[in-house]
Amino acid sequence: MLMRTDPFRELDRLTQQFLGGTGTWSRPAPMPLDAYRTGDEFVISFDLPGVDPEAIDIDVERNMLTVKAERRPRHEGEGVKWELSERPLGVFSRQVMLSDTLDPEGISADYEAGVLTLKIPVAEKAKPRKIAISHSGGRKEIQA
C-alpha cells in the first residue's frame, strides 16, 4: 500500500475534487496550454497526459478553436483493488479565439508524449510585403 506523507497535497486534491476537478461533457475541466509564434506560424501546446489520441476532438468554427479530450479510467482486469487514484479523469476542454491574422484552414495537429501541438499558419494577408511607390523620378520599393 502507498502512504501519503504530505497532508496538504491530499487537502488540495479533495478541494479540487469537491469543486469540480473531474470534468464532464457539460462542465469540462480546463487543460493547461502554452502558445507562441515562431516565424510564419503560431504554435499552441496542450498538456493531455494519459489521453488516447482517439479521445481528442479539435474543432474550428469561425475563429473559435475548441479542443476537447477525455481521459477514461483504466481497466486493469478482475481482482484489482485500487489503493490510490489521484490522476484526474473525465473531460477536459479549452477554447482559443483565433485572430483574423491566422489561417484556420492550414492547422496541423501532432500528439506526442502526452502533448497535443497545433501549428496554425499566419495568413498571407497578415505577412509583411513590399509596396511599390511610383514617383516622377522612377520607382522605389518600401517594406510595409
Side-chain angles (χ1 to χ4, degrees):
M1 183 168 144
L2 300 175
M3 301 295 290
R4 288 193 183 89
T5 58
D6 184 359
F8 297 107
R9 180 183 295 169
E10 177 66 8
L11 183 60
D12 288 343
R13 185 186 69 79
L14 290 172
T15 303
Q16 183 180 19
Q17 189 174 19
F18 179 72
L19 295 176
T22 301
T24 64
W25 282 105
S26 61
R27 293 183 67 102
M31 64 182 83
L33 68 81
D34 290 333
Y36 59 92
R37 181 176 173 171
T38 177
D40 286 339
E41 64 185 5
F42 195 75
V43 180
I44 306 174
S45 298
F46 299 89
D47 278 351
L48 295 171
V51 174
D52 184 341
E54 300 289 322
I56 300 172
D57 187 34
I58 305 167
D59 290 316
V60 177
E61 185 176 337
R62 296 190 182 142
N63 284 1
M64 183 63 70
L65 170 73
T66 303
V67 177
K68 275 193 173 185
E70 183 176 11
R71 183 181 302 134
R72 298 176 180 115
R74 292 177 51 174
H75 299 287
E76 301 296 333
E78 297 296 319
V80 173
K81 179 182 170 195
W82 284 92
E83 297 291 334
L84 181 62
S85 180
E86 292 184 345
R87 296 176 17 185
L89 300 174
V91 180
F92 303 87
S93 180
R94 193 70 184 256
Q95 288 189 313
V96 177
M97 180 67 85
L98 303 178
S99 72
D100 291 334
T101 61
L102 298 176
D103 178 14
E105 298 295 322
I107 294 176
S108 64
D110 181 53
Y111 184 70
E112 184 178 341
V115 178
L116 173 66
T117 302
L118 303 181
K119 294 183 179 180
I120 310 165
V122 173
E124 287 298 320
K125 67 181 180 182
K127 292 180 183 176
R129 61 190 186 285
K130 295 204 180 255
I131 299 173
I133 300 174
S134 353
H135 60 87
S136 59
R139 226 179 146 122
K140 181 181 179 185
E141 288 189 0
I142 64 167
Q143 180 90 17

